[in-house]
Amino acid sequence: MGIAALVGTPIKRREDPRLITGQATYVDDIKLPGMLYMAVLRSPYGHARIRSINTEAAKQAPGVVAVYTAQDLKGVVGNIPVAAPLPPHITNGMGRRGPLAEGKVRFYGDPVAVVIAESRYGARDALDLIEVDYEPLPAVVDPEKAAQPDAPLLYEEFGTNVAASVRPPTDEIDRVFAETQANGGIVVKQRMVNQRLAPSPMETRGVVAEFRKADRTLTIWSSSQIPHLLRNYLAEQLGLPQHQVRVIVPEVGGGFGCKLNIYPEEALVAFAAMKTGRPVKWIEDRSENLAVTIHGRDQIDYVEVAATREGKITGLKVHVVSDLGAYLQFFTDVIAIAFTLPMICGCYDIPVAYGSCDIVFTNKAPTDAYRGAGRPEAAYLVERAVDLVAHALGKDPAEVRMINFVKPEQFPHKMATGTVYDSGNYQAALEKAMQLIGYQQLRAEQAQKRAQGKLMGIGLSSYVEICGIGPKGLTPFGLYESARVRVDQSGDVLIYTGASPHGQGEETTFAQIAADEFGIPIERVLVIHGDTDSTPEGRGTYGSRTTAVGGTAVYNAVQKLKEKMKQIAAHMLEASPADVTLEDGKFSVAGAPQKAVTFAEVAAAANFSNTLPPGIEPGLETTVFFEPEACTFPFGTHICVVEIDKDTGEVHLTRYVAVDDCGRQLNPLLVAGQIHGGIVQGVGQALFEGVVYDENGQLLTSTFMDYAMPLASELPPFELDHTVTPTPYNPLGVKGVGEAGTIAATPAVAGAVADALGLPHVDMPFTPERIWRIIQQQQAPSQPQA
Amino acid sequence: MIPAAFEYHPATSVDEAIALLSQYGDDAKLLAGGHSLIPTMKLRLAQPAHLIDIGRIPGLSYIREEPGVVAVGALTTYATIERSEVLRRHFALLPECASVIGDPQVRNRGTIGGSISHADPSADMPGAVRALKAEIRVRGPQGERSIAADDFFLGTFTTALEPGEMVTEIRFPLPPERTGSAYMKLANKASHYAVAGCAAVVTLGADGTCTAASVVITGAGTLPTRAAAVEAALLGKKLDEATVAEAASHAAEGLELMEDIHGSKQYRAQMACVMARRAILKAAERAQG
Ligand SMILES: Cc1cc2nc3c(=O)[nH]c(=O)nc-3n(C[C@H](O)[C@H](O)[C@H](O)COP(=O)(O)OP(=O)(O)OC[C@H]3O[C@@H](n4cnc5c(N)ncnc54)[C@H](O)[C@@H]3O)c2cc1C
């Protein structure tokens, strides 16, 4: 341990001063000489045939340089990339699209044409001059209706809207359900809607492209989570060699998964820059962001759970209907199958679990990974299932959780789904949360309030999620991460990470790792990210993987350099490398602490190259790739309290306690920040948010006047604590924390609302009118059955 | 969210603004705080060719005590109203209403004159102005006139302003002794405009019975609407919980109800009653001092 001992301390984020003083550079801050601006004409219909497009008037408009439609891109720009196309239909092209709609539009906002003009205003004005002759078609927005044989078809040639179905045999789960019931146990069923959400980062998307014709090099600035993947796929889409494409991801104002995608606008801006020979910028406006940037969730889950009278769950059967929207984005088709189904057991040792799934196209925006990506849906349905069991048996939901948890000594544990969890202590987290909130006392208070006719509810969520992807085999390509670490002649450390932090704070945590390992002040460490020309190949930031995978790459690279520095120091000290230790920034000989050289002296020697031992290369630089052998599984318990206004149906969150275990915490302040933001987004889904389309595919939540975001003023202070159960699968012991709060919060609030109303289940979002209607029904004198 | 082109005219006086309005007619719009107009322009729902900025006209932002009246300049922002001691003393309802509009940025920019001229049925301030029976001073090419608040709001986004006219001042008559007022709203969780709101003013006699009541519903209907049935049910009565609840149950009568994803007609009607009950009880409590 070095003098610094920064790992584990809540130091402030190094990136914040530039971010909060407005000195950071986002895509929209990039201004290049001669830059043109792009505006996108989008479908006003949910589903329509394009009879014709007339761009003549737009082309004549002042300041307009070019207008492009799908015709112009044909054979020149490839389809939007999809990471893992599933058989039978997607592998055959179902749901694939070029950057502009051809023949048909399939959702409100589908891009139809673009205008490239001298100004942003001119580009937007010219959109109104493009004439598109549409033939409106019947739309389908409900995935269950879309799966019916008589539904309007998005892709007629496939004869169905169902892209794929997963239907394992049900014999075993049927047997378990029958046995459980024969033995006096229960089977509870519930349909649950996990509604569609708009990720809504503070910074919308944006792209700038510059093409240098002389050497045919393309530079793209994009607000993205995946610079290297974007470069690789975009090069393929445009038919350019990879080395001629450079992607720079400047500051990113939030992604939450929605920027883990390669969107039409990236190729469109690049194409326009290549055609016109001038730089082109496109900045998404908020209306576009709400309409065409991927949405999250949108699952309907049919849950059946069997349990003994004592509350031991014997079997869980889940059928997922996943709404893909109209097209495939990067992970659209696999969210439910690869991330929901493997996690349906949650933290519970359920002997038999069954998961089936239909993934269905509808006339809505594509869905994809949104903070949690499939795991929030899994956590929601299993937490609700446990509550259903508790409700049916009249037991406390905490007790049912305790009975069913995987026990600490069972790890690593293979779940009934086949997923292997690394480590955990679920009971400890639940107990700590109960203690923190004063659970027994709360229940007493609740009983008292009920007696006064007040509606108070307590909700628990003991979540587990999957992070740190990923080991080979999970996706079609390796999800490693990389780090190039250089110690320069002055003793400064430069970390080039292939991961692409965009607000989470790895400029701080990665520097903490290196500073501690080298025993030098953090001020001597710089973290560089987001430029494919300077950083080694990386896979990007998502799935709470950056620290577990990218941080480990940094750690491993530092270890390699330490070894080399020890050899050089040993030579300088005329000692054996085995006897040299590095502590507090000094290399010294064991047993003779006065014989020492400093970190900076060794760095100078290595780079100056005059005192190197034979066989040692000059320089101090190494690149390390790290591919984890297994995933990590953070967990915890959140408990919250709600009070419901009986007159209006408004739900007020009055207390919120979170105990999270993300393994070792490199920086508790950043962990708390992630948990705070995560909880807000999870609460947002439960109480406020929901993307709504009408039956024609018109988007009704196209501005923040109608799409309700959670506000600080509507939330109580969060009471946070943690447990620490390191993962054995990386040397840092870290698991991941970026999505935990979101995953945990939604079922906690849902549990509290159902509890307050005394119901087994209520569908989200818990908007005032929805809750008011339930209360009205409950208060109505029971009608005799007609 | 890029507005269409327009020409910008910063007016330096009311006369200049009115002259510009006469010159450009239907192609022109006045710009005050911009917090209704600019969003509409960004969505291209409004595309005025000329924007006459009245926000820089000096002397239109004030709260002035005059005999029997408090006069509020059209350009007075919600933030100023919210913090006004004078208003708080005479009409608790006004600062209370201002304080629940939007967020601090909106309250720092939005003006009382802009709000009532815009006449958004979900807006809060029109209800307060109507409940307080204010007199609205307007100026146009023909000179000055006054319009009673009860005659000002004609429908959704429609007022009694004639083309070329602008609101200059809102005059609130001082209430009699033992008058209390309150504003309550159920906010739309996205926009925070009113799904249903109620502005209530009640005056109590020496014996504690209600001698005057003014109750206006916002949000639920297509315009801020006087709840005459509620007022009638309050008059002459002691305002205990049961009486107020009974009276408030008539709050939706005569409303032309609106409906959207944030509230059905049925819900809005019921919430109008709930907000009316709460606002009247609060006003009565304040009236008792
Ligand atoms: C995010 C957000 C949240 C909001 N939330 C709420 C809310 O909760 N409740 C609420 O009530 N409102 C809300 N508003 C609207 C806000 O109150 C507006 O400020 C107000 O409606 C208009 O006032 P303004 O001064 O901004 O007017 P402007 O936007 O400048 O003008 C509005 C209209 O009135 C006309 N006009 C302006 N001044 C005059 C005048 N003196 N004479 C004649 N015509 C005039 C203009 O020509 C224009 O047509 C919100 C707005 C935003 C952006």
Side-chain angles (χ1 to χ4, degrees):
Chain A
M1 187 62 54
I3 31 167
L6 291 167
V7 166
T9 60
I11 63 165
K12 286 192 181 168
R13 299 181 357 139
R14 309 175 82 200
E15 41 276 83
D16 282 346
R18 69 170 190 271
L19 293 173
I20 61 182
T21 55
Q23 296 176 66
T25 302
Y26 294 86
V27 172
D28 201 17
D29 295 316
I30 289 160
K31 297 191 172 77
L32 301 173
M35 193 154 80
L36 299 171
Y37 297 82
M38 181 175 90
V40 187
L41 183 71
R42 300 182 180 282
S43 168
Y45 294 103
H47 198 191
R49 205 171 298 289
I50 302 176
R51 286 211 196 94
S52 65
I53 307 178
N54 183 346
T55 61
E56 279 320 305
K59 280 180 177 156
Q60 303 310 317
V64 170
V65 175
V67 180
Y68 304 123
T69 66
Q71 283 309 315
D72 300 286
L73 309 177
K74 250 199 145 92
V76 186
V77 183
N79 279 344
I80 304 305
V82 173
L86 290 178
H89 297 317
I90 296 170
T91 41
N92 283 324
M94 190 183 197
R96 305 299 305 272
R97 61 163 164 169
L100 291 173
E102 214 189 318
K104 256 173 75 157
V105 288
R106 294 184 177 85
F107 76 105
Y108 171 86
D110 207 347
V112 172
V114 293
V115 173
I116 313 295
E118 298 286 347
S119 78
R120 198 175 177 192
Y121 286 78
R124 170 62 189 86
D125 286 345
L127 291 185
D128 294 345
L129 303 175
I130 301 175
E131 290 162 33
V132 186
D133 185 7
Y134 292 105
E135 174 195 339
L137 298 171
V140 61
V141 297
D142 173 336
E144 292 185 299
K145 285 191 186 143
Q148 304 280 318
D150 56 347
L153 294 176
L154 276 81
Y155 302 92
E156 290 88 350
E157 59 277 30
F158 290 90
T160 175
N161 292 316
V162 182
S165 286
V166 178
R167 296 289 165 100
T170 62
D171 314 345
E172 202 189 355
I173 191 76
D174 290 345
R175 178 185 56 74
V176 168
F177 277 26
E179 264 176 32
T180 305
Q181 278 173 314
N183 295 334
I186 55 163
V187 174
V188 193
K189 299 182 185 186
Q190 184 65 53
R191 176 183 188 268
M192 302 173 188
V193 177
N194 209 301
Q195 83 272 25
R196 179 176 275 251
L197 304 176
S200 308
M202 206 184 297
E203 184 208 17
T204 57
R205 292 183 295 126
V207 193
V208 171
E210 183 181 42
F211 185 66
R212 207 158 59 196
K213 284 194 168 166
D215 49 11
R216 296 188 56 76
T217 53
L218 177 71
T219 305
I220 299 282
W221 289 262
S222 182
S223 184
S224 175
Q225 299 171 226
I226 46 168
H228 295 91
L229 291 177
L230 172 58
R231 179 202 53 197
N232 301 352
Y233 281 103
L234 196 60
E236 196 178 313
Q237 258 187 298
L238 298 168
L240 289 169
Q242 258 179 37
H243 73 272
Q244 279 166 223
V245 181
R246 174 184 182 188
V247 170
I248 301 172
V249 171
E251 223 74 71
V252 175
F256 310 115
C258 77
K259 294 174 182 171
L260 150 59
N261 272 282
I262 294 139
Y263 283 97
E265 291 84 358
E266 273 144 345
L268 288 168
V269 166
F271 172 80
M274 292 171 73
K275 286 288 265 194
T276 61
R278 291 171 65 180
V280 180
K281 179 191 272 189
W282 170 76
I283 299 295
E284 184 183 53
D285 71 28
R286 185 57 68 185
S287 302
E288 290 180 296
N289 183 264
L290 287 168
V292 305
T293 287
I294 63 103
H295 292 156
R297 319 281 187 261
D298 212 350
Q299 279 188 10
I300 298 169
D301 300 304
Y302 288 87
V303 180
E304 296 177 53
V305 56
T308 67
R309 289 263 143 213
E310 292 68 47
K312 174 79 186 106
I313 296 172
T314 54
L316 177 67
K317 185 177 179 190
V318 174
H319 177 63
V320 179
V321 181
S322 165
D323 188 331
L324 305 175
Y327 298 104
L328 294 162
Q329 276 290 326
F330 205 47
F331 284 121
T332 304
D333 51 340
V334 295
I335 296 291
I337 294 170
F339 297 108
T340 302
L341 291 184
M343 294 305 294
I344 55 172
C345 287
C347 338
Y348 309 104
D349 198 5
I350 300 173
V352 180
Y354 172 93
S356 58
C357 183
D358 290 334
I359 62 173
V360 188
F361 286 107
T362 60
N363 292 111
K364 298 189 284 188
T367 52
D368 205 306
Y370 166 53
R371 204 167 189 174
R375 293 112 79 212
E377 294 90 321
Y380 183 74
L381 70 87
V382 68
E383 287 309 286
R384 296 300 311 122
V386 173
D387 284 353
L388 289 175
V389 169
H391 187 265
L393 295 173
K395 286 187 180 295
D396 191 295
E399 185 194 338
V400 178
R401 282 174 171 77
M402 292 286 187
I403 294 174
N404 289 287
F405 279 149
V406 177
K407 306 285 177 291
E409 61 276 9
Q410 287 176 276
F411 292 97
H413 186 64
K414 186 166 183 182
M415 308 297 288
T417 49
T419 310
V420 180
Y421 293 2
D422 59 343
S423 62
N425 189 345
Y426 305 141
Q427 185 166 338
L430 173 57
E431 281 168 354
K432 199 163 191 176
M434 289 172 74
Q435 202 176 9
L436 198 57
I437 204 159
Y439 190 76
Q440 300 311 337
Q441 213 174 317
L442 264 185
R443 286 287 177 204
E445 187 190 327
Q446 181 184 30
Q448 228 170 29
K449 287 217 164 127
R450 277 209 178 133
Q452 299 163 1
K454 288 189 184 146
L455 298 179
M456 167 181 164
I458 304 166
L460 290 83
S461 159
S462 294
Y463 73 97
V464 60
E465 57 136 339
I466 180 168
C467 283
I469 53 169
K472 275 190 206 53
L474 208 69
T475 56
F477 40 78
L479 287 174
Y480 55 81
E481 218 32 86
S482 64
R484 171 153 66 238
V485 177
R486 178 155 85 220
V487 182
D488 70 16
Q489 194 161 324
S490 65
D492 287 343
V493 176
L494 302 165
I495 299 172
Y496 296 85
T497 170
S500 197
H502 48 277
Q504 303 93 326
E506 282 88 359
E507 282 180 36
T508 306
T509 45
F510 285 9
Q512 285 178 273
I513 296 170
D516 268 15
E517 288 302 315
F518 283 139
I520 58 172
I522 196 166
E523 290 73 23
R524 305 302 298 263
V525 186
L526 182 67
V527 178
I528 296 140
H529 57 85
D531 183 342
T532 58
D533 263 12
S534 63
T535 59
E537 187 78 10
R539 284 295 168 254
T541 292
Y542 42 87
S544 305
R545 68 191 296 270
T546 307
T547 305
V549 190
T552 300
V554 171
Y555 178 86
N556 288 349
V558 167
Q559 298 311 319
K560 268 177 114 172
L561 288 181
K562 258 165 72 171
E563 280 317 305
K564 182 169 178 180
M565 292 179 85
K566 272 186 193 168
Q567 289 185 20
I568 298 167
H571 184 72
M572 292 165 77
L573 294 165
E574 294 173 344
S576 152
D579 294 336
V580 173
T581 56
L582 169 60
E583 214 169 312
D584 295 349
K586 277 201 189 96
F587 292 90
S588 57
V589 180
Q594 72 290 351
K595 257 182 106 175
V597 280
T598 64
F599 182 83
E601 284 166 345
V602 176
N607 284 287
F608 204 53
S609 181
N610 58 350
T611 50
L612 291 181
I616 293 276
E617 281 175 18
L620 281 174
E621 178 164 333
T622 187
T623 302
V624 158
F625 286 76
F626 175 69
E627 186 168 32
E629 61 179 289
C631 290
T632 60
F633 293 79
F635 62 91
T637 290
H638 291 202
I639 306 181
C640 69
V641 182
V642 300
E643 288 184 22
I644 295 178
D645 183 329
K646 272 185 159 173
D647 291 339
T648 62
E650 285 175 292
V651 178
H652 299 291
L653 193 58
T654 55
R655 275 195 75 192
Y656 199 104
V657 159
V659 173
D660 294 279
D661 192 322
C662 59
R664 185 148 157 254
Q665 299 196 355
L666 298 186
N667 184 328
L669 189 64
L670 272 65
V671 169
Q674 289 295 315
I675 296 289
H676 271 249
I679 292 171
V680 175
Q681 275 178 311
V683 171
Q685 171 168 24
L687 295 186
F688 307 111
E689 298 180 51
V691 174
V692 184
Y693 288 88
D694 74 8
E695 67 274 17
N696 300 316
Q698 281 300 320
L699 181 62
L700 301 181
T701 48
S702 60
T703 74
F704 284 146
M705 295 292 276
D706 288 306
Y707 188 83
M709 295 287 280
L711 302 183
S713 55
E714 284 153 344
L715 300 164
F718 301 143
E719 302 162 63
L720 265 47
D721 207 337
H722 59 272
T723 58
V724 177
T725 312
T727 181
Y729 293 127
N730 64 56
L732 298 169
V734 301
K735 289 191 165 188
V737 72
E739 292 150 299
T742 310
I743 293 168
T746 311
V749 178
V753 169
D755 184 46
L757 296 169
L759 293 173
H761 181 77
V762 180
D763 269 332
M764 302 181 290
F766 307 120
T767 50
E769 179 163 1
R770 174 172 294 187
I771 301 299
W772 176 79
R773 287 194 176 277
I774 291 169
I775 295 169
Q776 293 298 107
Q777 262 171 13
Q778 289 180 331
Q779 287 176 343
S782 53
Q783 302 281 322
Q785 215 97 64
Chain B
M1 304 202 93
I2 304 272
F6 58 85
E7 215 172 307
Y8 174 77
H9 309 271
T12 54
S13 68
V14 173
D15 288 340
E16 189 188 353
I18 287 163
L20 285 163
L21 261 185
S22 311
Q23 187 180 341
Y24 296 114
D26 284 349
D27 286 343
K29 277 258 177 214
L30 297 177
L31 175 73
H35 269 48
S36 287
L37 183 54
I38 289 177
T40 330
M41 288 170 63
K42 284 184 157 191
L43 294 169
R44 297 205 174 200
L45 298 172
Q47 304 195 10
H50 298 274
L51 216 49
I52 303 163
D53 187 355
I54 57 172
R56 291 151 188 260
I57 299 176
L60 276 185
S61 168
Y62 53 84
I63 296 167
R64 202 157 51 214
E65 281 188 276
E66 293 175 14
V69 169
V70 176
V72 178
L75 282 180
T76 310
T77 62
Y78 302 132
T80 308
I81 291 171
E82 195 182 343
R83 293 180 203 131
S84 161
E85 257 316 303
V86 173
L87 292 180
R88 194 162 309 164
R89 206 162 58 236
H90 296 300
F91 327 89
L93 156 60
L94 264 186
E96 185 165 63
C97 175
S99 74
V100 294
I101 293 175
D103 48 45
Q105 290 93 319
V106 175
R107 297 198 286 276
N108 283 334
R109 294 288 307 170
T111 66
I112 185 169
S115 178
I116 63 169
S117 306
H118 192 57
D120 186 324
S122 303
D124 300 298
M125 206 39 99
V129 168
R130 200 166 172 196
L132 290 169
K133 302 197 169 158
E135 177 192 325
I136 293 154
R137 301 285 293 163
V138 307
R139 207 140 107 206
Q142 261 69 345
E144 237 174 338
R145 65 177 180 129
S146 284
I147 309 172
D150 267 334
D151 304 325
F152 187 78
F153 301 100
L154 302 182
T156 302
F157 303 118
T158 327
T159 67
L161 283 175
E162 294 292 337
E165 279 185 331
M166 115 174 210
V167 173
T168 53
E169 187 178 273
I170 298 100
R171 299 173 64 78
F172 297 95
L174 285 183
E177 299 261 285
R178 283 189 299 281
T179 296
S181 65
Y183 185 71
M184 293 282 166
K185 77 162 160 178
L186 179 75
N188 165 333
K189 298 297 175 200
S191 71
H192 293 259
Y193 279 84
V195 168
C198 176
V201 186
V202 295
T203 307
L204 303 180
D207 62 351
T209 58
C210 176
T211 56
S214 174
V215 179
V216 175
I217 303 298
T218 58
T222 52
L223 76 169
T225 306
R226 184 166 290 288
V230 179
E231 293 171 350
L234 294 171
L235 282 178
K237 307 236 175 73
K238 282 225 160 68
L239 300 188
D240 55 49
E241 291 229 13
T243 307
V244 172
E246 199 289 319
S249 69
H250 301 285
E253 287 169 21
L255 284 184
E256 202 179 304
L257 290 163
M258 294 196 294
E259 175 158 60
D260 61 20
I261 58 170
H262 307 286
S264 63
K265 289 183 179 180
Q266 187 196 6
Y267 183 64
R268 282 189 145 92
Q270 187 56 38
M271 290 310 106
C273 300
V274 172
M275 293 303 128
R277 171 164 53 80
R278 291 180 181 179
I280 295 164
L281 283 173
K282 186 96 209 160
E285 187 189 314
R286 286 178 177 152
Q288 274 147 10

